[in-house]
Amino acid sequence: MVMYGGGAWKDGESNNHISDGGVALKKGPWMAAEDEMLASYVRENGEGNWNSLQKNTGLTRCGKSCRLRWANHLRPNLKKGSFTDDEEHIIIQLHAQLGNKWARMAAQLPGRTDNEIKNYWNMRLKRLQRQGLPLYPPDIILYHQLHKHNHYHDQQHQHNQMYFQPQSSEPSTPSSSPLPSPTPVNANASSSFTFQTTNASTANLLHPLSSHTPTTPPQSPFSSPFSSPQNNQYTTLPVFSLPCSQNVNFTFPRTPPLLQPPSSFLDKRYNNANTSLNCINRVSTAPFSLFTRESYTSFLTLPYSSPTAQNATYYNTNNIYSSSPSFSLNPSPSSYPTTSSSSPSFLHSYYTPNSSSTSFHTNTTYSMKQELPSNQTLQICAFNNVNNFTDNEKHNSTGFHRRSISCSLLEDVLKEAEALEDISVDRPPKRRQLTASPPKNHNNNGDFFSVSFGQYGSSENTCSLQDLKSKEEVSLQMNTMQEDVAKFFDWESNSGEILNGQSSVVTDDNLVLDVHQFESLAANYEQNNNNNCSWDDLHEIR
DNA sequence: AATATGATCAACCGCAAGAGC
DNA sequence: AGCTCTTGCGGTTGATCATAT
């Protein structure tokens, strides 16, 4: 880490003095001699009585300044240097729970000061806001949403239940939590996303941090915290757990950004003029997940090749060999949006299903700068062998093809920008840091293709599919899959107007659903066939 | 090379709560 | 009860360095 120069206070050395009872008190940066005077005094007399320190030692600093200097720089066991990853994770979690309670947060981080944490958070806040990214990982948001509605904050030992409630328009109860209200964050934004599972009576949402099993449903309403608590205009999506149950609805206060796969891809493989639901799925991994550095691989499939198919099915590719999908959508293609927007904004999309129909909406809601973190790498796992799926999966896919892409929101933006850049300069799309590996028993005749992106970009953060082949084999197979990969990046102008590398557009023929972070849903579903399932079992997302 | 901007860190300020009288 | 002092907290500012323009 690069250490930058500390803040030398203006006039610190000489003439910036304040008067305290006739004694000129110095301000500004501390000198080594002052530090030594302060440290020796505290060693002899202990902490406290900071004002008397000035009187007894001749140190011309006010008590507050002495206390601050000691607490932030001189006291023993202070850690120096940047925060570790673990510390950063803790800070994020604590901030989600406590808000700007720096001292309380510091109490949880031995050797760290409130000032350090505050500075870190403010920098993070600044950076993420500039990037238009959510401040909290979606799983954190959801976690605290759930706990808030169970009056969970600061009482974690007393409240072990976390439940997922059907949507409600009731306002949330006030909370000190910085996390968003359960009601739609922006009442003016047409941004609700109601999601209905099938065969579900209740749904449990358990956080990886929790080892508790819900026993009673919450009394307060719930809706998903799909927005940044710091800035409502930013969206994010939770990682949540939705076991198999019945008729669960939840509303996302904000909708996910929408990105558009290449229409040529759709056209070539799946074009069907009679298909009313001609859409392709895109599912992001959980951006900023605190709980995993694995690349999430999950996808929501929407049938777009079959004129009659109206079920969208969610799968988790971490459990790609599992016997059944985690849940399914039942969208009615009655109201798909068209747009000719040329705004360089993200296009939001959402369903608003009711008992009889489900409509799909889009809305351009915010712009994002192109600035991106540097620690993002792209990883692609590809396979195109239907035989890699279980019989049930094959059965579930009957009647329509599936194609999935899994990436974080950030990666979406990055990839989109790159694709657009490639388009703008009329050259083949980049394949940056692309790695691919099919699963075992790969052949070239299948129908499945999955792309995932590593969130943290470490070299270890490889394809989440467990059964990777050797690099040589991958290389060979990439030759056969490269075309498919390329098509994902080879966006065409007729797939929608895209400006500044940041927007995408849905058309009637190319309906895109961008759904994030349903990994745990699938994982939990797979591992739990009852309503009492724990995140502790969700190894894929820890 | 000069300038602008961003990142980082340290320190200050005002306010409020608590303790002591 | 009211006042003063101390302490702690959170917001803000300023300095310096790195990087971009």
Side-chain angles (χ1 to χ4, degrees):
Chain A
M1 171 189 174
V2 177
M3 298 296 293
Y4 294 90
W9 205 255
K10 186 169 64 178
D11 303 324
E13 177 63 30
S14 57
N15 55 0
N16 188 10
H17 292 75
I18 58 176
S19 178
D20 181 24
V23 179
L25 297 180
K26 189 179 173 185
K27 296 174 65 177
W30 281 65
M31 301 295 107
E34 293 176 308
D35 283 344
E36 178 53 35
M37 291 175 67
L38 174 58
S40 62
Y41 179 86
V42 174
R43 278 195 295 267
E44 294 177 9
N45 302 280
E47 299 182 31
N49 296 317
W50 300 110
N51 285 333
S52 66
L53 188 152
Q54 176 251 319
K55 298 168 186 170
N56 296 333
T57 65
L59 184 62
T60 55
R61 294 278 184 173
C62 69
K64 289 183 70 170
S65 182
C66 291
R67 175 194 152 271
L68 198 66
R69 183 67 182 177
W70 173 260
N72 289 347
H73 299 281
L74 300 180
R75 68 181 166 94
N77 303 321
L78 274 179
K79 286 184 184 174
K80 298 295 182 183
S82 59
F83 288 110
T84 66
D85 290 346
D86 287 342
E87 286 175 325
E88 291 178 358
H89 295 172
I90 291 172
I91 290 170
I92 295 169
Q93 294 178 44
L94 289 174
H95 191 275
Q97 179 182 349
L98 303 171
N100 293 358
K101 301 298 181 184
W102 313 119
R104 291 182 63 184
M105 295 165 72
Q108 305 294 319
L109 291 166
R112 298 298 186 178
T113 69
D114 54 353
N115 210 37
E116 281 180 294
I117 297 170
K118 180 172 55 182
N119 284 335
Y120 167 78
W121 188 264
N122 288 336
M123 284 188 301
R124 170 186 164 85
L125 173 67
K126 194 175 175 181
R127 182 180 73 248
L128 293 179
Q129 284 188 334
R130 182 169 55 247
Q131 294 168 352
L133 296 173
L135 196 52
Y136 293 98
D139 40 7
I140 289 288
I141 292 174
L142 182 72
Y143 174 65
H144 288 282
Q145 274 288 308
L146 293 172
H147 284 66
K148 175 165 65 179
H149 296 299
N150 287 300
H151 309 285
Y152 191 87
H153 290 290
D154 301 329
Q155 304 174 39
Q156 297 185 20
H157 302 298
Q158 304 170 24
H159 299 272
N160 297 338
Q161 298 87 7
M162 286 185 295
Y163 263 87
F164 190 66
Q165 277 254 357
Q167 65 183 84
S168 169
S169 59
E170 294 182 36
S172 65
T173 55
S175 169
S176 61
S177 169
L179 289 160
S181 160
T183 51
V185 179
N186 183 351
N188 296 324
S190 55
S191 59
S192 64
F193 182 103
T194 302
F195 185 91
Q196 181 164 5
T197 64
T198 59
N199 302 318
S201 59
T202 59
N204 303 329
L205 285 93
L206 297 175
H207 193 270
L209 294 178
S210 170
S211 60
H212 308 305
T213 299
T215 57
T216 58
Q219 300 305 309
S220 55
F222 176 85
S223 68
S224 174
F226 267 47
S227 64
S228 164
Q230 298 297 327
N231 191 334
N232 293 345
Q233 68 179 317
Y234 305 132
T235 64
T236 185
L237 300 170
V239 171
F240 53 83
S241 168
L242 188 64
C244 175
S245 26
Q246 290 188 354
N247 300 329
V248 173
N249 295 292
F250 51 91
T251 298
F252 307 153
R254 301 290 293 180
T255 58
L258 194 81
L259 293 167
Q260 176 75 10
S263 63
S264 60
F265 179 85
L266 292 172
D267 291 342
K268 183 173 181 179
R269 292 288 187 103
Y270 304 107
N271 187 34
N272 186 333
N274 297 321
T275 300
S276 58
L277 181 57
N278 184 18
C279 55
I280 193 168
N281 56 286
R282 290 175 62 89
V283 178
S284 284
T285 60
F288 321 112
S289 171
L290 299 182
F291 305 109
T292 180
R293 288 167 183 263
E294 305 300 323
S295 57
Y296 290 6
T297 51
S298 63
F299 55 91
L300 181 73
T301 63
L302 295 177
Y304 44 80
S305 62
S306 168
T308 57
Q310 295 195 5
N311 291 326
T313 305
Y314 173 79
Y315 290 85
N316 182 348
T317 56
N318 285 326
N319 299 302
I320 197 67
Y321 301 111
S322 64
S323 60
S324 58
S326 294
F327 57 85
S328 63
L329 288 168
N330 294 293
S332 168
S334 60
S335 178
Y336 294 122
T338 59
T339 177
S340 59
S341 169
S342 59
S343 167
S345 301
F346 265 103
L347 191 66
H348 286 188
S349 59
Y350 57 98
Y351 284 99
T352 54
N354 53 38
S355 58
S356 59
S357 65
T358 300
S359 59
F360 191 86
H361 306 265
T362 63
N363 188 24
T364 54
T365 54
Y366 63 87
S367 299
M368 290 183 68
K369 293 179 67 173
Q370 213 162 347
E371 181 177 347
L372 294 167
S374 60
N375 65 340
Q376 306 290 321
T377 60
L378 166 65
Q379 298 159 0
I380 287 188
C381 305
F383 57 96
N384 57 355
N385 181 5
V386 69
N387 293 322
N388 287 308
F389 292 83
T390 64
D391 290 339
N392 278 346
E393 283 173 325
K394 294 172 186 175
H395 174 76
N396 288 327
S397 70
T398 299
F400 61 93
H401 300 277
R402 294 183 294 182
R403 189 139 304 226
S404 67
I405 184 167
S406 175
C407 60
S408 70
L409 167 61
L410 196 57
E411 297 292 355
D412 274 333
V413 178
L414 178 61
K415 186 163 63 58
E416 188 173 7
E418 288 188 347
L420 290 163
E421 178 187 358
D422 293 328
I423 291 171
S424 66
V425 300
D426 192 24
R427 55 178 167 79
K430 297 176 187 174
R431 317 252 198 283
R432 45 187 294 278
Q433 301 181 52
L434 186 68
T435 59
S437 177
K440 294 174 182 175
N441 305 320
H442 162 75
N443 66 39
N444 297 332
N445 302 321
D447 294 319
F448 296 92
F449 184 91
S450 177
V451 180
S452 66
F453 298 87
Q455 171 65 25
Y456 288 85
S458 79
S459 58
E460 310 91 55
N461 191 10
T462 55
C463 178
S464 62
L465 291 175
Q466 298 302 309
D467 49 351
L468 301 182
K469 291 187 175 183
S470 67
K471 287 187 176 180
E472 293 80 3
E473 194 170 1
V474 169
S475 178
L476 290 173
Q477 288 160 346
M478 270 303 294
N479 292 333
T480 64
M481 294 184 288
Q482 195 169 24
E483 181 184 358
D484 284 346
V485 177
K487 285 167 182 170
F488 268 108
F489 292 86
D490 187 18
W491 298 11
E492 289 190 353
S493 58
N494 65 357
S495 66
E497 289 187 46
I498 306 171
L499 295 179
N500 298 337
Q502 293 164 2
S503 69
S504 60
V505 176
V506 171
T507 67
D508 283 336
D509 294 335
N510 298 293
L511 179 61
V512 180
L513 175 63
D514 188 2
V515 183
H516 297 235
Q517 296 133 15
F518 295 117
E519 293 76 21
S520 56
L521 248 167
N524 210 14
Y525 175 90
E526 185 190 40
Q527 297 187 15
N528 300 277
N529 289 323
N530 54 54
N531 291 336
N532 297 325
C533 23
S534 170
W535 280 84
D536 294 339
D537 297 329
L538 305 181
H539 306 295
E540 296 85 347
I541 58 174
R542 281 190 287 154

